[in-house]
Amino acid sequence: MARGWVEDDFAFGGSDSLVDALFAWGDSERLRARVEALRAAGANHVVVQAIDPEDPARPCLRALAAVHG
């Protein structure tokens, strides 16, 4: 498959490495670092959908504050 991914990476919800490549997760410093890395790589827009782990129907305001910085 393209970009180094193999079919097994897409099975059963995705491999750990695929999920890590597609989604930023962790504490506020890790989230901020991921957004900054995207900007440093040339992104002029970064879409953030912060999900509250205790209630996935709500946004996680702490995560949004972290990446807005």
Side-chain angles (χ1 to χ4, degrees):
M1 295 203 122
R3 305 211 180 251
W5 304 110
V6 296
E7 193 168 327
D8 286 347
D9 286 310
F10 296 92
F12 306 108
S15 66
D16 289 349
S17 60
L18 178 66
V19 171
D20 287 344
L22 295 174
F23 301 98
W25 58 277
D27 63 20
S28 44
E29 290 181 21
R30 187 172 175 182
L31 296 174
R32 183 177 296 128
R34 181 73 177 269
V35 170
E36 289 304 318
L38 292 167
R39 289 181 178 154
N44 60 11
H45 290 79
V46 177
V47 176
V48 175
Q49 182 176 359
I51 299 170
D52 187 328
E54 294 181 17
D55 183 358
R58 295 184 331 190
C60 183
L61 300 179
R62 289 184 317 242
L64 290 174
V67 298
H68 187 270

